[in-house]
Amino acid sequence: MKTAVYPGSFDPITFGHLDIITRASAMFDNLIVLVMDNSAKHSLFSADERVKMIREATANLPNVHVELSHGLLIDYCKLHEIHIIIRGLRAITDFEYELQIAQTNKEMSHGYVDTVFLTTSLQYSYLSSSTVKEFASYHADVSHLVPAFVEELLKEKYK
Ligand code: ADP
């Protein structure tokens, strides 16, 4: 059984994330979407809210499981015997950051984990959780960027 983990903040989940999840879930027997609860990052949605949102958004994908981590990604991977990390790449700006993290994770885990990059589908290449929040905070229509129930939750937050 090949299992991969797709870690991220997912604050909130967007159609860009869902595109990566759908494609990765077709490549592996199991895909764990791992919400990283990183105390250094201020998030709009709580970790539990983000887990719940992703579970709802991926309910149609039976081999996708959503979990929460408060610690280091490589510790999670070792504990659960997962060797493959999935990350998405949008633009060259992502590449520099992602390359550094991927190499650090490989080095710090002594080669236990490797990172597989999936390039964004073109229609989502501009899409990020931060821009969704920015637009939603001004009550703009974000229905083409996130699932309808996420848009409703954003409206609640910015009421
Ligand atoms: P993080 O804070 O860990 O970067 P994000 O939730 O912002 O968490 O992103 C998680 C992963 O999803 C990252 O690898 C990011 O590059 C990727 N990603 C985000 N938006 C998109 C998109 N529109 N298309 C492809 N990959 C994306």
Side-chain angles (χ1 to χ4, degrees), residues 88-98 119-120 125-126:
L89 283 179
R90 281 159 296 188
I92 196 78
T93 41
D94 277 346
F95 180 76
E96 220 172 302
Y97 170 75
E98 294 289 347
T119 52
T120 181
S125 59
Y126 63 93

Side-chain angles (χ1 to χ4, degrees), residues 44-45 133 135-140 151-159:
L44 176 66
F45 291 97
K133 283 181 280 190
F135 278 83
S137 72
Y138 291 102
H139 310 291
E151 188 180 21
E152 285 311 310
L153 293 169
L154 280 161
K155 279 183 187 157
E156 282 290 309
K157 290 277 178 195
Y158 292 115
K159 215 159 47 184

Side-chain angles (χ1 to χ4, degrees), residues 44-64:
L44 176 66
F45 291 97
S46 72
D48 288 338
E49 285 174 321
R50 286 178 274 152
V51 167
K52 220 170 142 222
M53 273 190 272
I54 306 170
R55 285 204 176 127
E56 187 164 344
T58 59
N60 60 324
L61 298 168
N63 66 335
V64 172

Side-chain angles (χ1 to χ4, degrees), residues 18-153:
L18 284 169
D19 174 59
I20 298 287
I21 291 170
T22 305
R23 288 159 57 201
S25 72
M27 294 173 189
F28 296 93
D29 298 308
N30 283 306
L31 179 71
I32 296 169
V33 181
L34 192 64
V35 173
M36 304 302 291
D37 190 21
N38 183 340
S39 53
K41 271 193 181 174
H42 175 76
S43 59
L44 176 66
F45 291 97
S46 72
D48 288 338
E49 285 174 321
R50 286 178 274 152
V51 167
K52 220 170 142 222
M53 273 190 272
I54 306 170
R55 285 204 176 127
E56 187 164 344
T58 59
N60 60 324
L61 298 168
N63 66 335
V64 172
H65 311 279
V66 189
E67 304 293 344
L68 178 59
S69 170
H70 301 285
L72 272 182
L73 176 59
I74 56 171
D75 291 340
Y76 182 93
C77 289
K78 283 182 186 165
L79 188 64
H80 297 275
E81 298 181 359
I82 298 169
H83 298 278
I84 302 161
I85 297 168
I86 303 287
R87 293 286 285 178
L89 283 179
R90 281 159 296 188
I92 196 78
T93 41
D94 277 346
F95 180 76
E96 220 172 302
Y97 170 75
E98 294 289 347
L99 180 69
Q100 189 190 14
I101 303 277
Q103 286 174 335
T104 306
N105 281 335
K106 187 159 189 169
E107 195 59 29
M108 297 292 283
S109 70
H110 306 288
Y112 192 87
V113 297
D114 228 327
T115 303
V116 172
F117 292 106
L118 293 184
T119 52
T120 181
S121 294
L122 275 183
Q123 72 266 40
Y124 302 127
S125 59
Y126 63 93
L127 179 52
S128 72
S129 298
S130 330
T131 51
V132 166
K133 283 181 280 190
E134 177 78 10
F135 278 83
S137 72
Y138 291 102
H139 310 291
D141 176 10
V142 293
S143 57
H144 54 303
L145 309 178
V146 296
F149 75 91
V150 173
E151 188 180 21
E152 285 311 310
L153 293 169

